[in-house]
Amino acid sequence: MNDGEIKYKNYLHSKGQKFTPERQIILKEVLALAHHFDVDELYERLRRKGHRVSRATIYRTLPSLVENKIIKEAVRCQDNITKYEYIFGHDHHDHIVCIKCGKIYEFKNEQIEKLQEITCKGYKFKPVEHRLGIRGYCQKCRRG
Amino acid sequence: MNDGEIKYKNYLHSKGQKFTPERQIILKEVLALAHHFDVDELYERLRRKGHRVSRATIYRTLPSLVENKIIKEAVRCQDNITKYEYIFGHDHHDHIVCIKCGKIYEFKNEQIEKLQEITCKGYKFKPVEHRLGIRGYCQKCRRG
DNA sequence: TATCTAATTGTAATTCAGTCTCAATTGCAA
DNA sequence: TTGCAATTGAGACTGAATTACAATTAGATA
Ligand SMILES: [Mn+2]
Ligand SMILES: [Mn+2]
Ligand SMILES: [Zn+2]
Ligand SMILES: [Zn+2]
């Protein structure tokens, strides 16, 4: 069992929930997926590998992985599908997304992070998470 | 006709579209609403005022107001409803949202804005818009 | 290890925001 | 006026997500 699996198992246990084979399969695949994904992508990948996990179970499991901070909901795209992003063991980062080709740059700017904290302090607000997404055109797409 | 109405009328005209009574009613109400709203809120408000505009027409009109930069899609909340926010004539700002009571602070930090620009330059990326939302607990809700 | 039970699963039905179809209406240019 | 493309409202439809329910099962306990 790797760190993610241990973390999730402990989390489930602390809530009187079970580390079922289905949850293990889903978690393992999520950890293998390095990047952004949605329910259907995950379902098809599992299917191709011969795992039979129902969509309902995936829909039930992903929110619990979010609560356990193993994944998070990612920036919504134009189509109205919930996208997820693996975060456990990854550093926080923000996104720059090309409107035209969909290319995504991930970045983190410590000064921006710091300024956000200062801003929150000013409102006596306790930040838990934040999301910064910049949309526009990548180098390729801006000419053309 | 105020600035918003003129802007929208010209926009529609430039696309061979009509400044219909329904669109006028919707626009007028949107301009009157100072803040965040969704389709149903708008529909009910119009209803109460005796205006009979169908939900379908509202669903059709709001995206065109977005394209005309009179409103924009606001931060999504927990429920999966598209929220809009009036922007025409308002300065850009970002959001701090209380997870518990829903309180929203609007802020703008010029340094953060500048740092975003610099970051984009580094990727030779041309930013068009961005969204920064900080979620956490407001002063009231952090104790309690 | 066998027993027991609350948690979990898959299936299929359901929800519901948002989109689309279509016949009737209307704004507006000529 | 007239003509016609754009628009409207009603209601059907879509599809992601949720839920009910009966069957199954993880895993705590004895
Ligand atoms: Mn950040
Ligand atoms: Mn900003
Ligand atoms: Zn691009
Ligand atoms: Zn609060």
Side-chain angles (χ1 to χ4, degrees), chain A residues 125, chain B residues 97-103 105 136-142:
Chain A
F125 186 92
Chain B
V97 184
C98 178
I99 296 167
K100 198 167 177 191
C101 71
K103 185 170 176 56
Y105 298 96
Y137 296 96
C138 75
Q139 188 175 17
K140 262 186 203 160
C141 296
R142 59 195 298 188

Side-chain angles (χ1 to χ4, degrees), chain A residues 80-138:
Chain A
N80 232 28
I81 293 168
T82 302
K83 300 273 184 178
Y84 292 94
E85 178 179 5
Y86 173 47
I87 54 171
F88 176 63
H90 283 200
D91 274 350
H92 160 79
H93 56 259
D94 296 307
H95 294 94
I96 293 178
V97 184
C98 178
I99 296 167
K100 198 167 177 191
C101 73
K103 185 169 175 56
I104 296 176
Y105 297 96
E106 298 181 340
F107 75 96
K108 184 180 184 186
N109 182 302
E110 294 296 351
Q111 292 180 75
I112 292 178
E113 302 291 323
K114 192 70 194 167
L115 287 164
Q116 287 178 46
E117 270 179 44
I118 292 168
T119 302
C120 287
K121 273 225 174 68
Y123 291 103
K124 300 189 190 311
F125 186 92
K126 188 188 173 193
V128 171
E129 59 146 0
H130 70 265
R131 197 165 304 185
L132 169 58
I134 302 176
R135 289 158 44 81
Y137 296 96
C138 74

Side-chain angles (χ1 to χ4, degrees), chain B residues 72-132:
Chain B
K72 71 171 184 185
E73 283 195 26
V75 193
R76 300 241 167 170
C77 43
Q78 50 280 36
D79 48 15
N80 233 25
I81 292 168
T82 302
K83 300 271 185 180
Y84 292 93
E85 179 178 5
Y86 173 47
I87 54 170
F88 176 63
H90 283 199
D91 274 350
H92 161 79
H93 55 259
D94 296 306
H95 295 93
I96 293 177
V97 184
C98 178
I99 296 167
K100 198 167 177 191
C101 71
K103 185 170 176 56
I104 295 176
Y105 298 96
E106 298 181 341
F107 76 96
K108 185 182 184 186
N109 181 302
E110 293 296 351
Q111 292 180 73
I112 292 178
E113 303 290 324
K114 192 70 194 167
L115 287 164
Q116 287 178 46
E117 270 178 44
I118 292 169
T119 303
C120 287
K121 274 225 175 69
Y123 290 103
K124 300 191 191 308
F125 187 91
K126 188 188 172 192
V128 171
E129 58 145 2
H130 69 267
R131 196 166 304 185
L132 169 58

